[in-house]
Amino acid sequence: MTALLHRAGQTLLVLFGVSVLVFGVFFATPGADPTARIAGRNASPQIMEKVRHEYGFDRPLPVQYVIMMKKLFITRDLASYANRGERVVPEIMQAAPVTACLVCGAAFIWVTMSIAMGTVAAAMKDTWVDRGLMMLGLVGISIPVFWLGEVANLVTQNRYHDTWLFSWVPGLGYVPFSQSPLGWFRALVIPWTVLAVMFIGIYSRVLRTDLVTLAGEDFIRTAHAKGLSPIRVLLWHGLRTSMVTFVSLFGMDFAQLVGGGALLTEVVFGLPGVGRLTYRALTTLDLPVIMATVMYSAVFVVLANAAVDVIYVFLDPRVRDAS
Amino acid sequence: MTDTQSPAPLMEVRNLSKSYRVGGGHRLVAVDGISLSVMPGEMLGLVGESGCGKSTLGRCMLRLTDISAGQVMFEGRDITTLPERRLRPLRPRMQMVFQDSSACLNPRRRIGDLLAEPLRVHPGPDQRRRQAADIERRVRDLMELVSLPVAALTRYPHEFSGGQRQRINIARALALSPRLVVADEPVSALDVSVQAQIVNLFSDLRTRLGLTYVFVAHDLAVVRQVSTRVAVMYLGAIVEMGATDDVLHQPAHPYTAALTTAVPRPVVGATPPPPLGGDIPSPVNRPAGCRFHTRCPYVQDRCRMEAPVLRPIRPGHEAACHFPLPPS
Amino acid sequence: MCSLTHGCVMPADPTIPLLDVSDLCVSFPAGGRMVPIVEHVSFTLPEAGILGLVGESGSGKSVTAMAIMGLIDTPGVRVSGSVRFRGRELVGLPPRQIRRLRGRDIAMIFQDPMTAFTPVYTIGWQIDEQIRAHERISRTQARARTVRILGEMGVPDPERMARRYPHQLSGGLRQRAMIAMALSCNPTLLIADEPTTALDVTVQAQILDLIRSLRGTYGSSVLLITHDMGVVAQTCDSTLVLYSGRVAETGPSDRVFSHPGHPYTAALLDSIPPLYGPRPDRLPAIAGAPPVPMARPPGCAFGPRCAHVHAACTTTPPALLPLGPDHEAACVLPAEGTPLPPRTAADWPIDTIGDACP
Ligand SMILES: Nc1ncnc2c1ncn2[C@@H]1O[C@H](COP(=O)(O)OP(=O)(O)OP(=O)(O)O)[C@@H](O)[C@H]1O
Ligand SMILES: Nc1ncnc2c1ncn2[C@@H]1O[C@H](COP(=O)(O)OP(=O)(O)OP(=O)(O)O)[C@@H](O)[C@H]1O
Ligand code: SF4
Ligand code: SF4
Ligand SMILES: [Mg+2]
Ligand SMILES: [Mg+2]
């Protein structure tokens, strides 16, 4: 319990560090006036003055930091001037569920698929099944996600859309779950698959390697000597032990995707998620939005990391004692 | 330390302690206030069970690790706090041989290179860089010293058996003609038939080179074969020390007695005595009083309260026990 | 005849040995050919007997044990010969059937108790698992048995220990737990592959004591693999010396230690430093190292290191020849009328246990 509290404190500290760093990079870079960057290009002097006052750019740096954090997390009225004064935080809050739905669905697919593929490949090591699956995994890793997305779009939206196979595929865009669960599912199922492909490749290969290495371990030998069936040995002893590595890998990837790493998929499929928001902000150099999304993804990575550590504690008793 | 007729000890440690910080804010006292001295030409055997601090003591002696408290004297000079830069000139005179012969040899370097390396790095006795020809000659001498063919110089470590790799390790430690060698379990990983070769090599080297060494091992019979004096360690402290056969055949400390009877001897028919109960306690929370009291068959109330100190019980024989066993 | 369904207990027939290994050969594919690792190994183990399998590292001790258990699954491995357990042939037995024997009739413990338990489950869970793999009993019943056996193995506070994870136990306790797991289904044969090598001497003494007591309390036979002649002498009724994958000598322990018939056995015994008596200046060491399995000499595998090697040794591997009751050695010397001298008291002065006892 104290270990968990300790960990929570650590997480807060890291979050603080990250926010300072992000703030520093965006606003405390010497020689550049942040006012102009927030106000956007060709802003009138009045707007400049308003921005300067609102963000406290005429006051010391720590005060600026506090104002910025207040605007981000408490009053949430950080506004994007480049985008006609639209509030940034609500925009992110709107985009986040879309990204979350996309990533969670994809994660579900890639976790189940990669566990299935990796385990089957390890069980049938050195057979053609193993080689076939691993080859497939390699293909998945090498296909760029935007290309796969475009091809999927081409096939399902244009070329074969009118055939019975793909006529159910809705047009690009997002349908909220609350509006129509079926529509939501239809809108997301192809993006999910596309996003998951690369991860299936990576995870199944990693898992297979891990399981094969474990097969040489003493405890696997013991499990066989106990008279357990090979399947039980593989699943209960091999796979269960492998989960420790698997989870740490998963936590990182999941966090960076939720934090905006699914940008290409979102753009290709026209999903209004955090990634697309970042993408748009980058193309228009919309500083508040960029900063807010960076901050948001940093928070996610740090939180996910902490979550992984907690899961670790449940998965691996050795970690439990070490802390 | 009762050795008064000998002049200055080559290596002396006084009240040496070494602790490690471990998880949860605990301190692990690996070496706990040890004092001992090693006379020139002496072969000191250090025995004890796994984790009792033998390797740590050896590393502290050679200043291969920082020391928490106490003093280390080499050739009469206090080297406890000497910075690494000032320690460097002393390094050639004190060397270490490790247990795992393969882990210490860079697998991508040829044997010749490995042996020449310390000679290139450290200046010769005249404080000048050694000539290539001198190095070459020295490397050949070393190979001859450890009974390896000179032709093997161009081969890689993995092409050798465990025993041969250990010879290479020894040769490397001897390259700079050290006065003191600390050998940390140099034969433990070897098979009996090969172990005997290396044990003999150590005996030979002492007669040929007049080496002084500290020989760490957990095999009592091996230690007896190579040492003139032994120190028995338990949980970070020396519990008994004295002339080899005196300690092994007439142990005064109950732990030493248990240790000698627990060694399985290759004699059929002898019924082994009942083994000592319990496991070694964790060095993180050492028992109070005598550190052996949790397993000692002769434990009394006093042992639980008061820690015995290492004290002379017979000439040249010290033990840390309130109730030392009488000589049989 | 015993059916292969659950709960089958094969009758103990006193006329057939518990384990009868004959002409066991194991070869692994390497570099495009088959490398014989274990060659023509034969031995028998009677009911309630303890057989010591000794040999240097790489001599094929573990491979022999794994072959008996049918645990070698390297692709391309070739196992031939016969392993009869209570008269039943194990070589070539379908995996499902040999799996039923494993853990229930034949159990195995491994060298390093540190790594032999799955790190993520408690000790108790892992012992329960073995019991429940072979018997249809409830979790609580299994746990009750686990706790009982742990207690019998000298684990203090077994109920709590069963809830501990492997890394939370000391090496000695872990090895006890390992033995408890092996004995949980009351096997008739226990194969112990260097059970004490990773342990300290005082803890080793405890474990050996435990192993010696098994035949009395459980009636189990033990195949004890070790490289320590001392462990064999103290623990085993009979001894089998393996050298480079071949049997060098086999016989009752007292005969093998007092009248070694193979120069390797004799040299091995000589090279152990004495703990008592006069200290030799040099140990009689065996020069060189064992041959690698790929490049064994055509004749006697010990030839290149043997002090008695001569022309007759270098053509074909010498066959095992009887030297006395149950005592055989694979050396040409006895047949040539020049057997090795017996080891006398001079070789083992007063090196008996108990001397140093206060
Ligand atoms: N770097 C380290 N950090 C923390 N603890 C350590 C460290 N090195 C050693 N220890 C601990 O210090 C104690 C003494 O260790 P040391 O290696 O000196 O024992 P040893 O007698 O050489 O044992 P062995 O026979 O196993 O080699 C052990 O409990 C060990 O776990
Ligand atoms: N699966 C395998 N494939 C190929 N070679 C193997 C395999 N397992 C063992 N060997 C080889 O067989 C030989 C004998 O190995 P084994 O493990 O039986 O030795 P051992 O007598 O048990 O030695 P140790 O005392 O080191 O445990 C070694 O040379 C080893 O390299
Ligand atoms: S002081 Fe007491 S407990 Fe310690 S060794 Fe001596 S008799 Fe045993
Ligand atoms: S057969 Fe020859 S070489 Fe082999 S052990 Fe006997 S005497 Fe030595
Ligand atoms: Mg050590
Ligand atoms: Mg082995």
Side-chain angles (χ1 to χ4, degrees), chain C residues 32 128 138 214 233 237 298 340-341 352:
Chain C
D128 296 349
S138 71
L214 291 184
D237 317 319
L340 296 174
T352 45

Side-chain angles (χ1 to χ4, degrees), chain B residues 21-284:
Chain B
R21 221 186 303 278
V22 290
H26 297 288
R27 292 191 80 71
L28 183 153
V29 184
V31 168
D32 190 11
I34 283 182
S35 302
L36 64 80
S37 51
V38 186
M39 296 298 159
E42 189 175 50
M43 306 180 280
L44 176 71
L46 211 54
V47 287
E49 295 185 80
S50 176
C52 70
K54 308 180 294 289
S55 304
T56 307
L57 177 59
R59 283 199 299 268
C60 286
M61 281 182 178
L62 300 192
R63 277 293 314 280
L64 294 174
T65 172
D66 283 330
I67 287 153
S68 306
Q71 265 186 319
V72 182
M73 322 267 289
F74 180 64
E75 294 175 338
R77 180 162 165 210
D78 189 343
I79 61 166
T80 320
T81 52
L82 227 50
E84 187 56 40
R85 186 178 46 81
R86 308 251 321 270
L87 221 45
R88 255 179 80 86
L90 295 178
R91 289 264 179 243
R93 300 213 286 282
M94 40 190 222
Q95 287 288 319
M96 190 138 178
V97 179
F98 296 93
Q99 165 173 3
D100 189 352
S101 56
S102 40
C104 315
L105 299 173
N106 184 340
R108 277 183 284 278
R109 307 271 308 268
R110 291 171 198 277
I111 300 308
D113 269 355
L114 286 168
L115 289 182
E117 188 183 19
L119 296 165
R120 292 203 197 99
V121 174
H122 287 279
D126 53 358
Q127 301 311 315
R128 287 216 306 265
R129 282 187 63 125
R130 290 170 217 254
Q131 304 286 310
D134 290 344
I135 294 181
E136 172 99 30
R137 190 160 355 102
R138 178 75 186 139
V139 167
R140 283 162 184 275
D141 286 350
L142 286 168
M143 290 297 270
E144 191 266 330
L145 198 64
V146 297
S147 314
L148 283 176
V150 171
L153 282 171
T154 54
R155 293 203 272 150
Y156 292 93
H158 71 88
E159 296 173 53
F160 294 87
S161 70
Q164 287 172 319
R165 272 199 298 263
Q166 200 54 283
R167 286 174 192 274
I168 295 163
N169 259 324
I170 295 171
R172 197 161 63 146
L174 295 177
L176 298 166
S177 315
R179 289 189 67 194
L180 176 71
V181 172
V182 174
D184 189 5
E185 314 231 17
V187 299
S188 303
L190 304 175
D191 280 310
V192 194
S193 78
V194 181
Q195 190 172 308
Q197 300 168 12
I198 303 294
V199 167
N200 283 341
L201 176 62
F202 271 96
S203 311
D204 293 348
L205 290 175
R206 194 183 91 97
T207 32
R208 280 180 66 175
L209 307 176
L211 274 183
T212 304
Y213 49 82
V214 175
F215 194 99
V216 178
H218 56 252
D219 185 333
L220 292 186
V222 166
V223 166
R224 174 177 187 245
Q225 184 63 28
V226 293
S227 53
T228 47
R229 206 154 62 95
V230 289
V232 181
M233 282 183 74
Y234 187 77
L235 267 185
I238 292 179
V239 294
E240 183 160 9
M241 182 156 60
T244 303
D245 281 358
D246 200 17
V247 169
L248 295 184
H249 297 166
Q250 318 234 302
H253 197 283
Y255 175 64
T256 315
L259 208 54
T260 53
T261 51
V263 179
R265 299 306 303 162
V267 177
V268 180
T271 331
L276 201 60
D279 287 338
I280 312 186
S282 151
V284 177

Side-chain angles (χ1 to χ4, degrees), chain A residues 19-199:
Chain A
S19 67
V20 168
L21 201 71
V22 171
F23 173 79
V25 166
F26 284 98
F27 295 104
T29 12
D33 181 8
T35 318
R37 290 203 260 157
I38 288 199
R41 270 166 286 186
N42 316 323
S44 65
Q46 292 95 312
I47 292 198
M48 291 280 277
E49 195 44 50
K50 181 166 170 271
V51 168
R52 182 163 300 134
H53 182 72
E54 189 183 336
Y55 286 86
F57 287 137
D58 40 8
R59 294 158 70 186
L61 271 181
V63 179
Q64 293 180 25
Y65 171 81
V66 171
I67 292 177
M68 186 61 70
M69 289 305 127
K70 198 179 94 200
K71 280 181 159 304
L72 259 179
F73 292 110
I74 299 168
T75 56
R76 298 183 186 171
D77 59 352
L78 183 67
S80 157
Y81 286 85
N83 200 4
R84 291 173 308 285
E86 198 159 337
R87 298 266 164 102
V88 174
V89 178
E91 212 175 355
I92 290 184
M93 285 306 149
Q94 243 173 23
V98 179
T99 302
C101 288
L102 171 68
V103 175
C104 288
F108 178 78
I109 295 178
W110 98 60
V111 167
T112 42
M113 284 299 290
S114 61
I115 288 183
M117 277 171 64
T119 313
V120 168
M124 312 184 79
K125 185 167 91 81
D126 294 333
T127 62
W128 60 267
V129 178
D130 173 29
R131 268 176 238 127
L133 285 175
M134 287 305 107
M135 195 50 111
L136 215 61
L138 199 61
V139 171
I141 297 173
S142 3
I143 298 179
V145 64
F146 63 89
W147 183 84
L148 187 63
E150 292 292 5
V151 169
N153 274 341
L154 191 72
V155 169
T156 63
Q157 305 282 344
N158 297 349
R159 186 82 46 93
Y160 299 103
H161 185 67
D162 297 329
T163 65
W164 58 272
L165 201 55
F166 295 116
S167 54
W168 55 269
V169 179
L172 295 184
Y174 179 69
V175 181
F177 185 81
S178 51
Q179 192 180 321
S180 151
L182 187 66
W184 172 82
F185 183 79
R186 280 182 179 171
L188 281 176
V189 68
I190 291 176
W192 282 341
T193 316
V194 166
L195 181 56
V197 161
M198 178 183 74
F199 292 103

Side-chain angles (χ1 to χ4, degrees), chain C residues 287-352:
Chain C
V292 291
M294 331 237 181
R296 284 197 195 115
C300 175
F302 188 55
R305 304 172 77 189
C306 181
H308 308 276
V309 63
H310 55 287
C313 316
T314 52
T315 47
T316 51
L320 272 175
L321 293 176
L323 300 171
D326 296 328
H327 188 186
E328 295 176 297
C331 174
V332 296
L333 291 181
E336 287 171 355
T338 49
L340 296 174
R343 288 163 62 78
T344 58
D347 295 314
W348 285 111
I350 48 166
D351 199 337
T352 45

Side-chain angles (χ1 to χ4, degrees), chain C residues 75-89:
Chain C
V77 66
R78 201 158 57 213
V79 181
S80 67
S82 132
V83 174
R84 286 179 174 275
F85 177 73
R86 290 208 159 144
R88 180 161 167 210
E89 180 59 57

Side-chain angles (χ1 to χ4, degrees), chain C residues 59-351:
Chain C
S59 57
K61 306 182 294 291
S62 300
V63 169
T64 305
M66 302 289 272
I68 293 172
M69 289 287 275
L71 279 177
I72 305 181
D73 56 359
T74 315
V77 66
R78 201 158 57 213
V79 181
S80 67
S82 132
V83 174
R84 286 179 174 275
F85 177 73
R86 290 208 159 144
R88 180 161 167 210
E89 180 59 57
L90 300 188
V91 174
L93 205 64
R96 289 181 68 86
Q97 294 180 22
I98 197 153
R99 215 162 65 219
R100 288 225 181 79
L101 292 175
R102 257 187 235 148
R104 199 188 46 174
D105 297 297
I106 310 177
M108 187 160 183
I109 55 180
F110 297 98
Q111 168 171 352
D112 194 351
M114 212 79 149
T115 54
F117 278 109
T118 307
V120 294
Y121 299 119
T122 61
I123 298 285
W125 188 95
Q126 301 190 46
I127 303 180
D128 296 349
E129 184 190 32
Q130 162 146 3
I131 298 174
R132 283 164 56 82
H134 296 287
E135 287 170 46
R136 261 174 219 287
I137 59 173
S138 71
R139 259 170 226 290
T140 27
Q141 282 172 306
R143 178 48 64 95
R145 165 122 55 106
T146 298
V147 170
R148 196 195 73 220
I149 296 181
L150 279 173
E152 281 168 9
M153 294 306 121
V155 173
D157 196 0
E159 209 148 334
R160 240 189 51 227
M161 286 297 170
R163 290 199 299 270
R164 298 269 202 102
Y165 287 93
H167 72 275
Q168 297 170 324
L169 269 55
S170 69
L173 278 180
R174 237 179 315 209
Q175 196 58 290
R176 277 164 204 273
M178 199 72 214
I179 296 177
M181 181 156 86
L183 294 179
S184 61
C185 293
N186 225 332
T188 30
L189 173 60
L190 175 67
I191 301 179
D193 191 353
E194 314 219 15
T196 57
T197 306
L199 304 175
D200 291 316
V201 254
T202 56
V203 182
Q204 164 172 286
Q206 297 166 8
I207 299 293
L208 292 180
D209 202 45
L210 183 63
I211 288 179
R212 274 190 300 266
S213 71
L214 291 184
R215 71 170 122 197
T217 47
Y218 290 84
S220 309
S221 304
V222 183
L223 176 62
L224 180 72
I225 298 176
T226 175
H227 58 252
D228 187 335
M229 290 303 254
V231 169
V232 177
Q234 266 189 23
T235 319
C236 305
D237 317 319
S238 45
T239 304
L240 181 120
V241 184
L242 218 50
Y243 187 80
S244 191
R246 299 174 187 162
V247 177
E249 180 161 7
T250 168
S253 296
D254 53 349
R255 292 295 296 175
V256 171
F257 280 75
S258 59
H259 294 73
H262 195 284
Y264 173 64
T265 317
L268 201 56
L269 289 169
D270 284 338
S271 59
I272 302 170
L275 193 50
Y276 299 96
R279 184 157 48 169
D281 284 342
R282 311 191 69 195
L283 293 171
I286 312 176
V292 291
M294 331 237 181
R296 284 197 195 115
C300 175
F302 188 55
R305 304 172 77 189
C306 181
H308 308 276
V309 63
H310 55 287
C313 316
T314 52
T315 47
T316 51
L320 272 175
L321 293 176
L323 300 171
D326 296 328
H327 188 186
E328 295 176 297
C331 174
V332 296
L333 291 181
E336 287 171 355
T338 49
L340 296 174
R343 288 163 62 78
T344 58
D347 295 314
W348 285 111
I350 48 166
D351 199 337

